[in-house]
Amino acid sequence: MSHGQGKAMQTMHEDFDTLDANNDGAITEDELNVYGSTAAGMGDTEAERNRMMLKARDRNQDGKITRGEFQKGADAEKPADMKQ
Protein backbone atom coordinates (compact mmCIF):
# COMPACT_ATOMS: atom_id res chain seq x y z
CA MET A 1 0.00 0.00 0.00
CA SER A 2 1.46 3.36 -0.99
CA HIS A 3 1.62 6.32 1.36
CA GLY A 4 -1.22 7.98 -0.60
CA GLN A 5 -3.41 4.89 -0.29
CA GLY A 6 -2.69 4.67 3.42
CA LYS A 7 -3.67 8.31 3.90
CA ALA A 8 -6.87 7.74 1.91
CA MET A 9 -7.77 4.75 4.11
CA GLN A 10 -7.11 6.81 7.25
CA THR A 11 -9.32 9.61 5.92
CA MET A 12 -12.08 7.12 5.02
CA HIS A 13 -12.00 5.70 8.57
CA GLU A 14 -12.11 9.20 10.04
CA ASP A 15 -15.07 10.08 7.80
CA PHE A 16 -16.90 6.94 8.92
CA ASP A 17 -16.16 7.68 12.59
CA THR A 18 -17.44 11.25 12.20
CA LEU A 19 -20.72 10.06 10.68
CA ASP A 20 -21.17 7.22 13.20
CA ALA A 21 -22.22 9.60 15.97
CA ASN A 22 -23.16 6.93 18.52
CA ASN A 23 -20.10 4.76 17.74
CA ASP A 24 -22.14 1.60 17.20
CA GLY A 25 -20.26 0.63 14.05
CA ALA A 26 -23.02 1.67 11.65
CA ILE A 27 -24.30 4.88 10.07
CA THR A 28 -28.07 5.39 10.03
CA GLU A 29 -30.16 7.85 8.04
CA ASP A 30 -30.72 9.85 11.24
CA GLU A 31 -26.96 10.16 11.74
CA LEU A 32 -26.53 11.28 8.14
CA ASN A 33 -29.29 13.85 8.57
CA VAL A 34 -27.86 15.21 11.83
CA TYR A 35 -24.40 15.53 10.31
CA GLY A 36 -25.78 17.15 7.17
CA SER A 37 -27.91 19.64 9.06
CA THR A 38 -25.07 20.73 11.33
CA ALA A 39 -22.49 20.82 8.54
CA ALA A 40 -24.30 22.87 5.95
CA GLY A 41 -27.91 23.61 6.82
CA MET A 42 -30.27 20.92 5.69
CA GLY A 43 -32.95 21.23 3.09
CA ASP A 44 -35.14 18.64 1.44
CA THR A 45 -32.52 17.98 -1.23
CA GLU A 46 -29.86 17.19 1.39
CA ALA A 47 -32.19 14.76 3.15
CA GLU A 48 -32.96 13.09 -0.19
CA ARG A 49 -29.23 12.79 -0.98
CA ASN A 50 -28.72 11.14 2.40
CA ARG A 51 -31.52 8.65 1.67
CA MET A 52 -29.97 7.90 -1.72
CA MET A 53 -26.51 7.40 -0.17
CA LEU A 54 -27.95 5.08 2.46
CA LYS A 55 -29.82 3.08 -0.17
CA ALA A 56 -26.77 2.85 -2.45
CA ARG A 57 -24.30 1.78 0.23
CA ASP A 58 -26.56 -0.34 2.46
CA ARG A 59 -25.90 -3.61 0.66
CA ASN A 60 -27.94 -5.81 3.01
CA GLN A 61 -30.80 -3.26 3.22
CA ASP A 62 -30.91 -3.21 7.04
CA GLY A 63 -31.16 0.59 7.22
CA LYS A 64 -27.53 1.03 8.30
CA ILE A 65 -24.18 1.47 6.58
CA THR A 66 -21.50 -0.64 8.23
CA ARG A 67 -17.81 0.22 7.98
CA GLY A 68 -17.44 -2.51 5.32
CA GLU A 69 -20.35 -1.15 3.28
CA PHE A 70 -18.94 2.36 3.62
CA GLN A 71 -15.53 1.14 2.38
CA LYS A 72 -17.04 -0.71 -0.59
CA GLY A 73 -19.00 2.41 -1.55
CA ALA A 74 -15.89 4.59 -1.28
CA ASP A 75 -13.90 2.09 -3.37
CA ALA A 76 -16.60 2.05 -6.05
CA GLU A 77 -16.50 5.84 -6.29
CA LYS A 78 -12.71 6.01 -6.81
CA PRO A 79 -11.42 6.84 -10.29
CA ALA A 80 -10.20 3.74 -12.12
CA ASP A 81 -6.53 4.78 -11.88
CA MET A 82 -6.76 4.88 -8.06
CA LYS A 83 -8.26 1.41 -7.63
CA GLN A 84 -5.95 -1.43 -6.65
Side-chain angles (χ1 to χ4, degrees), residues 21-33:
N22 65 359
N23 297 313
D24 68 348
I27 302 167
T28 64
E29 185 175 350
D30 287 340
E31 287 170 318
L32 287 173
N33 289 337

Side-chain angles (χ1 to χ4, degrees), residues 12-40:
M12 188 278 307
H13 286 292
E14 290 168 356
D15 290 347
F16 183 90
D17 292 341
T18 298
L19 294 170
D20 182 18
N22 65 359
N23 297 313
D24 68 348
I27 302 167
T28 64
E29 185 175 350
D30 287 340
E31 287 170 318
L32 287 173
N33 289 337
V34 167
Y35 180 78
S37 66
T38 59

Side-chain angles (χ1 to χ4, degrees), residues 3 7 10 17 24 26 32-33 35 49 56-58 63 69 77 80:
H3 177 69
K7 183 68 174 165
Q10 178 183 352
D17 292 341
D24 68 348
L32 287 173
N33 289 337
Y35 180 78
R49 269 184 284 204
R57 291 196 178 179
D58 181 16
E69 290 169 330
E77 293 171 2

Side-chain angles (χ1 to χ4, degrees), residues 29 33 42-52:
E29 185 175 350
N33 289 337
M42 178 127 115
D44 290 337
T45 57
E46 185 69 25
E48 182 58 29
R49 269 184 284 204
N50 290 342
R51 276 190 288 282
M52 289 171 40

Side-chain angles (χ1 to χ4, degrees), residues 54-67:
L54 184 69
K55 186 175 181 180
R57 291 196 178 179
D58 181 16
R59 295 183 180 265
N60 64 358
Q61 302 299 303
D62 66 352
K64 302 175 194 172
I65 302 170
T66 63
R67 189 176 298 273

